[in-house]
Amino acid sequence: MGQKKTVVLGVTGGIAAYKTATLASMLVKSNLDVQVLMTENATKFISPIVFETLTGHKCLVDTFDRNFEFNVEHVALAKLADVVMVAPATANVIGKLANGIADDMLTTTVMACRKCRKILAPAMNTEMYLNPVVQDNMKKLEGYGYEIIAPASGHLACGDAGLGKMPEPEVLYEYIYREVAFEKDLTGKKILVTAGPTQEAIDPVRYITNHSSGKMGYALARVCAARGAEVVLVTGPTAVPKPLFAKIIQVTTAKEMFEAVKEEAEDADIVCKAAAVADYRPKAVSSEKIKKADKVLSLELEKTDDILLYLGSRKKPEQFLCGFAMETENLAGNSRAKLEKKNLDMIAANSLREEGAGFQNDTNRITLITRKDEIPLPLLSKEETAVRIIDKILEEISTRR
Ligand code: CTP
């Protein structure tokens, strides 16, 4: 994340409060200024010292608490906040916020926040959560512009199993990341991203695939959503966590990916084809498991549709098409040839020979190739690489006008 932004984190009296410490730590590590406000009851579940140590700021509880950083604490913090999240949010604090009751530092501050996004992560027993009063209060708050994160289902502290668990810190982090990580320079744009490998069945047990992890495409989808785009992610089978703020279309084969992409590309402003699509599939899929027989087994393979070639041949003038190339030799030459052949606007070329680049890694070293230039990027995380790819695409689009 860029320059320091302020996250006001409200913690109320629920057992999930212990998870909020992990969230605070993740936010601090992302170079965010984190100010924690607790209710009196929250301090019974977790000591303010935990948050004070993690954030370097005094944790305020009572309306009249002072840390001497500001004059009128709740107003100053409300003005400073780039985003406010209350996690966990109890039925009690939801009720107070929905009905204008401000009787401690947390509720006064949240109510004094007008300019920034306010997000609540309710956590409570299922019956309490489903209570019509709580449901009405949450609807009311949504009407006032609050964002309510749906609780997860699972084992609850009371011994019941059901709805009401606070989502994991990683999930809550994504909501804050979306608010503060980037300027919303992709608002109004639909971006289609493909990611991961495809699997082409040989028989009911075996398939042909490749080493693609999906990380590069997923990083692109996540960054685009955080920059304000409407994102559609068409993905082959991967083990990476799905980006939260994208429409996900899960596919297995090149054919399924082709069908999904054809439909979604129609009104896409930008298409990034990071998927490693199989170029060939078995001509016939055996309906039974193929048994061992002779020493040699030959499989007849047929070509799959080249999705990118299809998109390039139908590209609308205002559309931007970015392909990906993975090469083991002649990186620039082979990639440029693909750029021409498939009528792309840009190709992100990576060499399998480079240290830290390519499949499975969390880093990448790519060269961005357009018709007029060739920009080698340094070794970067896949997230930073995604940012640079999008920056370059926006620069290219702006020079079209
Ligand atoms: N691609 C695609 N459909 C395919 C094969 C590839 O859309 N059936 C896309 C990939 O998503 C990627 C780009 O084409 O963006 C480059 O893929 P690559 O396999 O390197 O290119 P090919 O044209 O298949 O060339 P080769 O395998 O000979 O290197």
Side-chain angles (χ1 to χ4, degrees), residues 285-344:
V285 182
S286 169
S287 57
E288 303 298 337
K289 186 180 170 199
I290 300 171
K291 290 296 193 189
K292 284 192 284 293
D294 299 330
K295 278 188 187 151
V296 176
L297 171 73
S298 296
L299 277 177
E300 199 179 350
L301 302 178
E302 65 180 8
K303 268 188 111 169
T304 58
D305 296 295
D306 190 319
I307 307 169
L308 199 50
L309 186 71
Y310 172 92
L311 294 180
S313 68
R314 283 164 178 74
K315 186 158 65 83
K316 299 185 183 117
E318 65 282 5
Q319 239 176 11
F320 193 97
L321 202 49
C322 175
F324 284 73
M326 167 70 76
E327 305 290 344
T328 54
E329 56 181 356
N330 188 17
L331 179 68
N334 285 345
S335 303
R336 199 166 275 290
K338 284 177 193 174
L339 178 91
E340 292 299 340
K341 182 181 162 204
K342 302 192 188 190
N343 190 27
L344 310 179

